[in-house]
Amino acid sequence: MSTREARGPEGQSPEARGLSRRGLFGLAGVGAAGLALGGGAGVAAGAALASAGPAGASQYPFHGAHQAGVTTPAQDRLHFAAFDLAPDATADELRALLDAWTAAAARMTRGLPVGAGGAVDGPPSAPPDDTGEALDLPPAGLTITIGYGPTLFETADGVDRFGLAARRPAALTPLPRFSGDALRPEWTGGDLCIQACADDPQVAVHAVRNLTRIAFGTAVIRWSQLGFGRTSSTSTAQQTPRNLFGFKDGTANLKAEETRAIEENVWVAEGDDVAWMTGGSYLVARKIRMLIEGWDRTRLEEQEAVIGRDKRDGAPLSGGGEFTAPDLAVLPAASHVRLAHPDLNDGIRLLRRGYNYTDGTDELGRLDAGLFFLSFQRDPERFVRVQRSLAGHDALNEYLRHVGSAVFAVPPGVPEGGSYSDALFG
Amino acid sequence: MPSRPSPASARSPIALGALAATAVLVLSGCVPNAPAGGTSIAVDIRDDACEVETATAEAGTVVFSLSNTGSDVNEFEILADDGLRIVGEKENVVPGQTVDYAVQLEPGSYVTACKFRQVGEPVGRAAFTVTGEAVVRDADEQQLADEAVASYLAYLRSQVGELIPAVAEFAEAYAAGDDEKARELFAAARVPYERIEPTAEAFGDLDPSIDYREVDALAEGLDWTGFHRMEKDLWPPHAGDLNSDGADALLDWSPSTPEERRALADGLVADVDRLAQLVRADDFTLSVDDISNGAIGLLDEVAAGKITGEEDWWSHTDLSDFAANVQGARVAFGTVRELAETAGGAEAEQLTTRIDREFDALEALLAQYGDLDAGFTPYDQVDAAQRKELSDQVNALAEPLSQLTALVLGS
């Protein structure tokens, strides 16, 4: 099990070994309706996939009722990409792209290279199917999660490019403007998104790079974001990490073990919305630049008052330990923890899955860094409710700028032999 | 760049011999003798005209009766409907001579033209239509490969033939200090070169001498010569302007003196002549994967240099180079297309269809900015969103095109 090639059963059907790039282009050219590209791609899914073994050996099943990468214990690294469909893309091409992405994602999450020829086994006269930088690396807990933006169903000026307007989930509307937003168009929106999370950044980047390559001619990257460290725990087995303000973040986050709360807050239930979204969720992405230098000059007691927690242990300022419930009557009124608390937000809990990011330094030499906030919720309106509570009042806003924003419908999981396109196109 | 040895010799099922050694290079469907009893189409070739008696023919063997009533040697060409790729040609038609030239033509649109003294732009371009049923060809891969190579060699020769007079006129204007005229001629003089750039690059020191940008010459410690040094003289920088690497554009630079201008002009003319001699040499040939890799390489040129505006940093004529690279890539693709579809199996036709569509889309996008005759929008007036749109379409084409060599080699 030391190499990617050694992983997973061989001797599968040709489909399971993946399509060559040539095959992909052919499909994209003629439309691939009815071709079960994902067929057999998940042969290994039934095998034991627990996260035991050496570091990086974690492997999460690609197929299932829900997509991986939501309640999966938050991996350490992120590469997130938002795509726009090409101006001349057709519904057949979109379907072919989703089929090809399904096949590639099913392979990569098992630690296998993209395509029949992989990185080195194709003809020497052709560019390899797989770009190769993940060769010899284990799956590293890679999950690939897909989402659909409102513009996929209908453009801002009401054009139904792919005949999908009637299938649009009612809940999928662009987020409203929040007080203090400083959104930049180049970091906002998108027709499709891919969230690739892994414990090895090379594996996450490899995933987005190869999916981007498959999309050339059909969809192009609109924006992308690397996250170098998780800021949330989504399992009780995980330690609470710190954000770039130096505080433990996500202490009270939803955890995978809270199965009832997950059902209540994260997954779209039958009857909530269009039937094909049942078992799915909604993803909100916010690129939040932190004004690091100013924060670092703030005295400790004020930092703690702004957050509402003790910096060393993460205990609420109302007393106790990290996991003690805060006393909202005692916390500073404008503290972040208080304003985000479910008790002040109709009981709403978001599943947060954000990452610390840095894009280097800006033109003034300041650290260009912050939080790439990701949250999953049953309805985007739940995020809106919480963010409205924060936007006008949170003491933390002085140190934040929301510069990017997007919302995506996250479809349910793909069953074995299925494709992303099945649920979307019905 | 690929580190493997060229797969053509080691792996290709097509044994590409030293084609040039076989003396007679057969262009697509060239037949050596006119079939008995066939009617022929008269072509009146003069120095400044190329009159074809009728503009249509039935598919199959078409015979042209070529009469040169002009003053010097001429050449008759049948071009694909792009006006660039050479489907058939008859060279060395001397004054006073009448000669029959027979060629196998499939249904489709063509362009007929002559080439006075066998250099420069084709003269008397005229549309020529072939109707009827496609001739069922039973060509084997070897034959298709031979035809592709012969066609591409003819194309290379036609392009160096266009390059020589275009460069001579530009260089003369530059040397004479007629900057306005030289600026007008600069972009057009580069077009034939940009169409066949990978071939020039294969000759080692020629491309650096002809086409290096200042930053590259500096980095490699070369004397900076060629198009781009002349370009900077013609569009001189102002105080505060930067080179593409961010360095002060005036640092270690001064306008070329009249003597330097003369030397640079003569040097460029001599380099282009040498390129033409190399391409026209009897022992010059290339392989089918050289052609397909050339198509891929031309798109890489676009993606690396033209999209960023680094190529024509002072003249901003990047889109002209861009369009010429795309034309050259499409000719190379068209040259090996039938071979790819024959050798590459069922997948190949889907891929070539896709490549065609993406070429169409890229050409349509470029057409929004002008054309090679009328000129293009200066690249400094193409904004970031427009550049991204161009880049997206280059990617959309370059990805499927990158599979072409494997198809051509049937691997």
Side-chain angles (χ1 to χ4, degrees):
Chain A
M1 298 289 274
S2 63
T3 71
R4 293 168 73 82
E5 283 302 341
R7 188 171 301 279
E10 295 302 329
Q12 310 145 353
S13 65
E15 292 92 333
R17 284 184 278 108
L19 288 164
S20 72
R21 293 192 58 69
R22 247 184 274 165
L24 295 177
F25 289 122
L27 288 168
V30 299
L35 288 183
L37 297 185
V43 176
L49 294 165
S51 53
S58 303
Q59 187 178 330
Y60 300 108
F62 175 75
H63 299 96
H66 306 297
Q67 287 196 70
V70 181
T71 58
T72 307
Q75 301 94 324
D76 290 333
R77 323 289 176 188
L78 168 83
H79 194 178
F80 190 98
F83 296 81
D84 281 341
L85 271 296
D88 59 349
T90 64
D92 279 347
E93 285 173 344
L94 170 59
R95 192 190 286 262
L97 171 64
L98 294 176
D99 294 345
W101 272 4
T102 308
R107 285 181 62 83
M108 288 192 287
T109 50
R110 289 165 54 208
L112 298 172
V114 170
V120 290
D121 294 326
S125 58
D129 288 346
D130 186 282
T131 56
E133 72 273 29
L135 210 58
D136 308 327
L137 295 177
L142 174 68
T143 56
I144 293 170
T145 313
I146 194 172
Y148 308 135
T151 49
L152 185 70
F153 300 89
E154 207 169 356
T155 62
D157 39 10
V159 180
D160 178 9
R161 290 174 293 171
F162 309 109
L164 290 171
R167 298 187 62 76
R168 175 182 183 149
L172 185 66
T173 55
L175 296 177
R177 194 177 166 76
F178 297 103
S179 163
D181 275 2
L183 304 183
R184 300 260 298 268
E186 65 267 32
W187 293 328
T188 296
D191 293 338
L192 299 169
C193 78
I194 291 288
Q195 173 195 270
C197 299
D199 291 324
D200 182 335
Q202 181 114 334
V203 170
V205 169
H206 170 262
V208 167
R209 175 174 167 189
N210 280 270
L211 296 177
T212 303
R213 190 172 168 223
I214 288 169
F216 278 133
T218 304
V220 296
I221 293 248
R222 180 181 174 88
W223 52 270
S224 71
Q225 185 66 55
L226 286 174
F228 67 82
R230 67 181 171 92
T231 62
S232 294
S233 306
T234 53
S235 166
T236 52
Q238 292 184 295
Q239 279 203 331
T240 311
R242 291 181 190 269
N243 62 28
L244 293 183
F245 286 144
F247 279 77
K248 289 192 174 183
D249 199 343
T251 296
N253 199 18
L254 272 172
K255 305 290 196 311
E257 292 79 2
E258 302 174 78
T259 47
R260 278 198 59 175
I262 293 281
E263 291 298 329
E264 175 62 30
N265 289 279
V266 178
W267 302 123
V268 176
E270 202 172 335
D272 276 5
D273 207 320
V274 289
W276 66 268
M277 273 296 288
T278 302
S281 188
Y282 291 88
L283 167 59
V284 168
R286 303 281 288 183
K287 181 167 182 164
I288 305 172
R289 169 91 186 258
M290 290 175 166
L291 306 182
I292 302 272
E293 288 77 7
W295 174 262
D296 292 345
R297 292 177 201 123
T298 305
R299 62 189 193 279
L300 179 61
E301 63 183 354
E302 186 178 339
Q303 289 185 1
E304 292 183 332
V306 163
I307 300 289
R309 286 187 186 277
D310 152 71
K311 195 167 189 178
R312 183 195 310 271
D313 300 316
L317 293 185
S318 52
E322 181 191 344
F323 294 99
T324 306
D327 181 346
L328 300 187
V330 176
L331 288 185
S335 66
H336 182 73
V337 163
R338 179 175 175 276
L339 290 173
H341 197 275
D343 288 357
L344 294 186
N345 291 283
D346 306 329
I348 292 170
R349 295 176 70 191
L350 311 177
L351 188 146
R352 282 166 288 155
R353 224 174 177 284
Y355 286 81
N356 295 321
Y357 78 84
T358 176
D359 294 342
T361 45
D362 70 10
E363 66 279 5
L364 298 178
R366 301 177 301 188
L367 193 61
D368 187 354
L371 170 65
F372 187 67
F373 173 95
L374 294 168
S375 72
F376 291 86
Q377 47 274 311
R378 186 172 169 178
D379 185 324
E381 201 51 38
R382 292 170 162 252
F383 167 82
V384 172
R385 171 73 183 80
V386 176
Q387 181 58 21
R388 283 227 165 94
S389 166
L390 293 171
H393 317 284
D394 188 353
L396 200 49
N397 290 341
E398 186 183 340
Y399 305 96
L400 301 177
R401 295 285 180 277
H402 288 245
V403 294
S405 176
V407 59
F408 300 96
V410 173
V414 175
E416 286 201 39
S419 163
Y420 290 136
S421 65
D422 298 340
L424 180 63
F425 284 95
Chain B
M1 294 313 292
S3 56
R4 293 172 185 280
S6 166
S9 51
R11 299 176 50 90
S12 167
I14 306 159
L16 288 170
L19 286 163
T22 62
V24 181
L25 291 182
V26 281
L27 276 174
S28 171
C30 255
V31 288
N33 295 300
T39 55
S40 61
I41 298 170
V43 181
D44 181 16
I45 301 176
R46 300 194 300 277
D47 297 352
D48 58 353
C50 187
E51 286 174 11
V52 180
E53 185 185 19
T54 56
T56 58
E58 281 286 309
T61 301
V62 180
V63 182
F64 295 91
S65 178
L66 312 175
S67 299
N68 185 348
T69 56
S71 66
D72 206 340
V73 64
N74 215 312
E75 171 180 326
F76 177 68
E77 292 180 339
I78 300 165
L79 306 168
D81 65 351
D82 59 10
L84 289 171
R85 183 165 60 83
I86 296 177
V87 177
E89 65 175 7
K90 177 67 180 171
E91 297 176 304
N92 299 315
V93 185
V94 296
Q97 185 187 26
T98 296
V99 60
D100 277 354
Y101 166 57
V103 60
Q104 192 88 25
L105 293 177
E106 298 288 331
S109 300
Y110 300 86
V111 175
T112 55
C114 298
K115 194 170 269 183
F116 182 53
R117 289 181 180 145
Q118 309 193 133
V119 295
E121 290 261 4
V123 169
R125 288 172 181 272
F128 189 83
T129 307
V130 176
T131 57
E133 295 292 311
V135 181
V136 178
R137 301 230 310 157
D138 192 20
D140 63 14
E141 290 175 23
Q142 180 65 60
Q143 186 187 340
L144 290 171
D146 291 351
E147 288 174 5
V149 168
S151 170
Y152 198 72
L153 286 173
Y155 168 71
L156 288 175
R157 289 195 299 268
S158 78
Q159 291 306 307
V160 294
E162 289 187 28
L163 181 64
I164 287 169
V167 164
E169 191 184 4
F170 162 71
E172 186 49 43
Y174 166 79
D178 188 348
D179 285 9
E180 191 180 342
K181 184 176 178 191
R183 281 193 291 265
E184 273 172 27
L185 295 172
F186 174 75
R190 294 175 54 74
V191 165
Y193 187 80
E194 290 291 324
R195 285 182 185 139
I196 61 167
E197 195 168 0
T199 301
E201 287 172 349
F203 293 122
D205 57 339
L206 264 183
D207 183 65
S209 181
I210 293 172
D211 200 34
Y212 256 29
R213 301 173 311 133
E214 184 175 9
V215 289
D216 298 323
L218 195 68
E220 295 184 23
L222 299 174
D223 279 342
W224 185 33
T225 59
F227 277 119
H228 293 299
R229 174 147 178 200
M230 297 154 90
E231 178 197 3
K232 193 168 177 178
D233 284 329
L234 294 169
W235 286 270
H238 302 290
D241 284 353
L242 300 178
N243 277 338
S244 61
D245 62 354
D248 184 342
L250 295 172
L251 186 70
D252 297 329
W253 179 86
S254 54
S256 302
T257 63
E259 295 72 30
E260 286 171 328
R261 280 197 177 211
R262 174 52 67 187
L264 287 163
D266 291 349
L268 181 62
V269 168
D271 283 338
V272 166
D273 279 342
R274 194 150 71 88
L275 174 64
Q277 283 167 24
L278 289 164
V279 167
R280 289 167 175 165
D282 286 343
D283 62 349
F284 173 70
T285 190
L286 31 70
S287 60
V288 285
D289 49 318
D290 288 336
I291 302 172
S292 56
N293 286 332
I296 297 163
L298 281 163
L299 259 287
D300 290 345
E301 290 279 342
V302 173
K306 276 73 176 187
I307 283 291
T308 57
E310 290 168 71
E311 179 77 18
D312 299 313
W313 189 251
W314 301 109
S315 66
H316 304 302
T317 55
D318 304 81
L319 285 179
S320 174
D321 288 11
F322 189 143
N325 285 159
V326 171
Q327 278 189 337
R330 193 158 199 176
V331 167
F333 166 65
T335 303
V336 298
R337 180 184 185 142
E338 191 176 356
L339 173 62
E341 289 172 356
T342 304
E347 284 176 352
E349 220 160 313
Q350 292 177 343
L351 186 85
T352 54
T353 303
R354 171 116 194 172
I355 291 171
D356 254 338
R357 204 163 48 106
E358 301 296 358
F359 264 122
D360 288 345
L362 184 55
E363 286 173 359
L365 195 56
L366 272 171
Q368 295 176 12
Y369 299 92
D371 60 50
L372 284 172
D373 290 332
F376 284 94
T377 306
Y379 204 55
D380 56 343
Q381 295 171 26
V382 177
D383 68 24
Q386 292 171 313
R387 290 182 187 200
K388 177 166 189 299
E389 188 181 24
L390 286 163
S391 173
D392 286 345
Q393 188 51 44
V394 167
N395 284 332
L397 170 59
E399 260 315 308
L401 192 65
S402 72
Q403 306 290 323
L404 184 62
T405 296
L407 284 186
V408 163
L409 297 177
S411 46

